[in-house]
């Protein structure tokens, strides 16, 4: 083939019906041997049973990128491990490959420069063999930094164990991978991931938890993502394992599961729960946790969460925990906490809401009908900017001392027993929602509107017939008071502004 070509794509027609000639296609590809200076090669929709012998020979010392795509009849890979300069290798939609092994490596020390390796959509791939000439060897991927295994539903065997340089590992839609037990299967081999920064595991049915030996090697892990692992019971076995995850910044676990917890016996969730956690870390401490969307949740207590180890915690969000009866203790000690959101905690009963730290900026309570009060020292939360109370029927008024002076956004919605007059809500707000479904709101004696238009940027009035009428554009007696506010909404649509 012509000398001087550095980048080459060989692509067959995608649709041949039943007229493909496997021998002819193999002969054509063998004839189209590129020049040894080739650096980047893609082969797509090739229909031969074998790849040509030239593909893996040592003479291609300049090849750094190789992609094999939709070669759906090829039954084996060439000896590609001998490509000494190869840095990126993508294998996708090779439907008839069953075993990847010695023919793939070609040598006991394959892929000396490989940094990215991806296997995708390999429906017949069953085994990744680590034998060379019938002898099991520890294949070293000394430079490999990113490995992806996705949509390989029949893959059962182990992954390579010597991945000391690996920074990102993604395992997605490989339901047969054997993760059972502490001392067998995939996790047994993956014990030397000391450079790993990101780990993504998705749709691995056999995964029930991450064993201690595996977790303890992840000393540099920053991002852990686990999704749709339906038999996931808990994340790790020991409470103290979090100390090994000193660099962890993001933890995202989403799954339709039988039950789940961060450790044995703690925070157990019932079927069809979705557990999502984001964690940010500073100086070795966890920094952000979200617990989101637990339909029919079985969690009853979060009191055992060791918040003393989470001193950089910034955000907590707990949603749809229908059986939750207690919150973590010591919330007021979390000096970096800026946001607390509770939604759909229908049996969480709090006579006195626990104190919050001065750092809190956002505080939302939604659909928590048994919470009877806000924190007593609410007016001393000098950083609080955003307060929302929605569908909290047991809250009747703000605590003594009123609202904090720095509050900017206030929404009280469908709190039918709220008796405090609107004029007592007002601080130098930038955003205010007045909802007539809050008890007493909008009654005749409460229809004074001493608003500071120079500060208020958004006003939403709903369910207050008399007040809405008085605010009508051009005709209402309150119109001169509100016409300078950039956005004023009347009725159910907060987007439709009359100003």
């Amino acid at each position: 083939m012509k000398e001087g070509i550095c980048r080459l794509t060989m692509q067959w027609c995608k649709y041949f019906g039943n007229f493909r000639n496997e021998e002819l296609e193999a002969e054509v590809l063998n004839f189209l041997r590129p020049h040894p200076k080739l650096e980047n090669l893609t082969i797509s929709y090739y229909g031969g049973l074998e790849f040509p012998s030239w593909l893996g020979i040592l003479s291609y010392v300049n090849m750094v990128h190789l992609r094999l795509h939709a070669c759906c009849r090829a039954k084996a890979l060439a000896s590609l491990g001998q490509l000494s300069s190869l840095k990126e290798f993508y294998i996708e939609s090779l439907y008839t490959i069953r075993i990847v092994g010695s023919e793939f490596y070609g040598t006991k020390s394959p892929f000396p420069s490989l940094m990215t390796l991806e296997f995708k959509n390999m429906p017949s791939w069953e085994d990744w063999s680590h034998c060379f000439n019938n002898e099991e060897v520890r294949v070293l991927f000394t430079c490999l930094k990113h490995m992806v295994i996705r949509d390989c539903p029949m893959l059962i065997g182990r992954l390579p164990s010597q991945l000391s340089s690996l920074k990102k590992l993604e395992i997605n839609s490989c339901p047969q991978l054997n993760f059972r037990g502490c001392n067998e299967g995939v996790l047994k081999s993956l014990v030397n991931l000391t450079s790993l920064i990101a780990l993504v595991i998705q749709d691995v049915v056999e995964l029930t938890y991450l064993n201690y030996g595996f977790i303890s090697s992840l000393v540099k892990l920053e991002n852990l993502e686990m999704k749709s692992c339906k038999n996931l019971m808990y994340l790790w076995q020991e409470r103290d394992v979090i100390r090994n995850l000193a660099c962890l910044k993001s933890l995202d676990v989403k799954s339709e599961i039988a039950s789940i917890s961060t450790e044995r016996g703690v925070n157990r969730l019932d079927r069809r729960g979705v557990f999502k956690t984001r964690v940010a870390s500073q100086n070795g401490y966890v920094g952000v946790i979200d617990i989101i969307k637990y339909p029919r949740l079985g969690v009853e207590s979060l009191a055992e969460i060791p918040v003393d180890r989470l001193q950089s915690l910034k955000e907590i969000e707990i949603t749809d925990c229908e059986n939750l009866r207690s919150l973590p203790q010591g919330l007021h000690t979390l000096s970096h906490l800026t946001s607390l959101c509770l939604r759909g905690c229908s049996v969480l009963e709090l006579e006195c809401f626990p104190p919050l730290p001065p750092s809190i900026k956002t505080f939302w309570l939604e659909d928590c009908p048994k919470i009877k009060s806000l924190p007593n020292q609410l007016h001393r939360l000098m950083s609080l900017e955003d307060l929302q109370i929605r569908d909290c029927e047991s809250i009747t008024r703000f605590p003594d001392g009123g609202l904090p002076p720095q509050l900017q956004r206030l929404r009280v919605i469908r709190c039918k027993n709220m008796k405090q007059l609107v004029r007592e809500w007002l601080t130098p707000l930038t955003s205010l929602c007045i909802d007539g479904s809050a008890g007493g709101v909008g009654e005749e004696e409460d229809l004074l509107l001493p608003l500071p238009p120079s500060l208020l940027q958004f006003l939403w009035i709903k369910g207050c017939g008399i007040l809405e009428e008085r605010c009508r554009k051009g005709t209402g007696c309150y119109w001169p008071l509100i016409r300078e506010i950039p956005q004023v909404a009347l009725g159910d649509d907060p987007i439709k502004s009359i100003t």
Side-chain angles (χ1 to χ4, degrees):
M1 187 169 287
K2 184 177 179 181
E3 186 176 352
I5 295 177
C6 295
R7 186 183 186 97
L8 176 63
T9 297
M10 298 178 171
Q11 181 169 321
W12 274 251
C13 181
K14 184 176 181 179
Y15 302 105
F16 267 102
N18 296 320
F19 300 100
R20 303 204 71 142
N21 188 319
E22 298 157 350
E23 294 183 359
L24 179 59
E25 290 190 34
E27 184 178 337
V28 169
L29 184 57
N30 191 56
F31 178 77
L32 293 174
R33 177 173 176 172
H35 191 273
K37 292 184 179 180
L38 188 69
E39 296 177 3
N40 187 312
L41 174 63
T42 297
I43 300 176
S44 295
Y45 302 109
Y46 165 64
L49 300 180
E50 298 179 348
F51 289 100
S53 57
W54 55 258
L55 186 56
I57 62 175
L58 295 173
S59 59
Y60 286 100
V61 294
N62 293 327
M63 190 177 294
V64 295
H65 178 104
L66 175 61
R67 181 183 296 271
L68 304 178
H69 172 252
C71 303
C72 55
R73 299 192 180 188
K75 295 184 176 181
L77 296 169
S79 298
L80 301 165
Q82 300 181 94
L83 297 173
S84 59
S85 299
L86 190 65
K87 293 183 178 180
E88 299 176 351
F89 188 12
Y90 304 91
I91 304 171
E92 183 176 5
S93 300
L94 271 63
Y95 297 151
T96 56
I97 297 290
R98 292 183 58 251
I99 298 176
V100 173
S102 58
E103 84 292 341
F104 175 59
Y105 298 134
T107 173
K108 288 187 177 182
S109 301
F111 301 110
S113 302
L114 192 63
M115 300 178 70
T116 299
L117 176 61
E118 294 189 4
F119 292 93
K120 295 181 180 179
N121 194 21
M122 306 272 284
S124 299
W125 184 25
E126 297 178 358
D127 183 39
W128 191 340
S129 172
H130 308 291
C131 293
F132 190 82
N133 294 332
N134 296 322
E135 176 187 354
E136 184 161 341
V137 295
R138 291 191 172 186
V139 178
L140 300 177
F141 287 86
T142 55
C143 296
L144 192 64
K145 297 186 182 302
H146 184 196
M147 183 164 70
V148 177
I149 303 175
R150 182 179 300 167
D151 296 317
C152 301
M154 302 301 293
L155 183 60
I156 299 175
R158 296 169 299 155
L159 305 183
S161 60
Q162 301 301 306
L163 301 170
S164 59
S165 297
L166 196 67
K167 293 186 179 295
K168 185 173 184 179
L169 173 62
E170 299 179 45
I171 302 174
N172 188 336
S173 299
C174 303
Q176 301 301 320
L177 272 179
N178 185 5
F179 278 85
R180 284 179 175 167
C182 297
N183 298 311
E184 63 185 52
V186 174
L187 293 186
K188 180 182 177 182
S189 64
L190 296 175
V191 294
N192 191 27
L193 300 178
T194 53
S195 297
L196 197 68
I197 293 176
L199 173 62
V200 179
I201 301 176
Q202 182 168 344
D203 191 20
V204 180
V205 175
E206 295 294 339
L207 181 62
T208 57
Y209 62 91
L210 301 177
N211 70 63
Y212 184 85
F214 175 66
I215 287 289
S216 61
S217 71
L218 305 179
V219 293
K220 295 184 179 179
L221 191 69
E222 296 180 3
N223 302 290
L224 174 58
E225 183 176 324
M226 302 174 69
K227 298 180 179 180
S228 301
C229 299
K230 296 182 179 180
N231 288 320
L232 190 66
M233 298 294 291
Y234 44 91
L235 297 184
W236 39 72
Q237 295 171 279
E238 306 294 337
R239 180 187 297 265
D240 290 338
V241 75
I242 199 170
R243 296 186 183 276
N244 295 322
L245 302 176
C247 296
L248 194 63
K249 293 182 178 179
S250 173
L251 171 59
D252 190 343
V253 185
K254 303 176 184 176
S255 185
E256 293 186 2
I257 49 180
S259 61
I260 185 173
S261 69
T262 53
E263 55 194 87
R264 288 181 177 175
V266 179
N267 305 344
R268 189 165 298 280
L269 314 188
D270 283 343
R271 186 169 182 79
R272 288 193 286 181
V274 179
F275 179 60
K276 178 186 176 185
T277 307
R278 288 199 319 270
V279 181
S281 173
Q282 179 180 350
N283 299 325
Y285 293 102
V286 178
V288 176
I289 292 182
D290 287 340
I291 304 177
I292 298 179
K293 286 187 179 178
Y294 302 114
R296 303 182 185 178
L297 194 61
V299 172
E300 293 188 3
S301 174
L302 297 179
E304 296 184 53
I305 291 180
V307 293
D308 60 309
R309 304 177 192 174
L310 309 177
Q311 285 303 306
S312 292
L313 195 65
K314 295 181 180 178
E315 300 177 17
I316 299 177
E317 182 170 339
I318 304 174
T319 300
D320 293 339
C321 295
E322 295 180 357
N323 294 320
L324 184 66
R325 297 181 184 275
S326 69
L327 295 177
Q329 298 177 6
L331 289 175
H332 65 284
T333 67
L334 300 175
S335 58
H336 292 86
L337 190 69
T338 60
S339 176
L340 174 61
C341 299
L342 304 180
R343 297 187 181 96
C345 301
S346 57
V347 300
L348 179 60
E349 186 171 353
L350 297 173
E351 192 74 32
C352 298
F353 200 96
L356 298 178
S359 57
I360 200 79
K361 293 183 177 180
T362 298
F363 181 33
W364 286 14
L365 294 179
E366 298 182 10
D367 194 18
C368 298
K370 294 191 176 183
I371 293 180
K372 298 181 180 181
S373 72
L374 299 173
N376 280 332
Q377 302 297 316
L378 187 68
H379 65 285
R380 294 187 177 181
L381 298 177
M382 298 302 182
S383 299
L384 188 61
E385 299 176 351
D386 188 352
L387 175 60
Q388 176 164 302
I389 311 167
R390 183 192 298 260
D391 295 306
C392 296
E393 62 187 47
S394 296
I395 294 179
T396 61
R397 61 181 297 109
F398 297 117
D400 292 342
L403 298 173
Q406 301 303 316
L407 192 67
Q408 297 179 18
R409 293 175 294 278
L410 175 62
R411 290 171 291 276
V412 181
I413 301 173
R414 292 191 298 274
C415 296
K416 61 183 180 181
N417 293 312
M418 173 65 80
K419 300 301 182 184
Q420 200 152 7
L421 301 179
V422 171
R423 58 176 172 265
E424 297 179 13
W425 299 5
L426 299 176
T427 64
L429 298 168
T430 61
S431 175
L432 172 64
C433 172
I434 301 176
D435 179 17
S437 60
V441 175
E443 295 177 358
E444 184 67 27
E445 67 273 14
D446 193 33
L447 294 182
L448 300 177
L449 207 63
L451 301 175
S454 60
L455 295 177
L456 201 62
Q457 301 293 309
F458 172 72
L459 173 63
W460 179 21
I461 301 172
K462 56 174 293 190
C464 304
I466 299 174
L467 187 55
E468 288 182 42
E469 188 62 32
R470 293 185 180 185
C471 292
R472 292 294 175 194
K473 184 175 182 178
T475 61
C477 61
Y478 286 164
W479 173 246
L481 297 175
I482 65 173
R483 63 184 179 187
E484 299 299 327
I485 299 175
Q487 186 174 356
V488 176
L490 303 179
D492 293 330
D493 187 356
I495 305 299
K496 188 177 181 180
S497 177
I498 63 172
T499 55

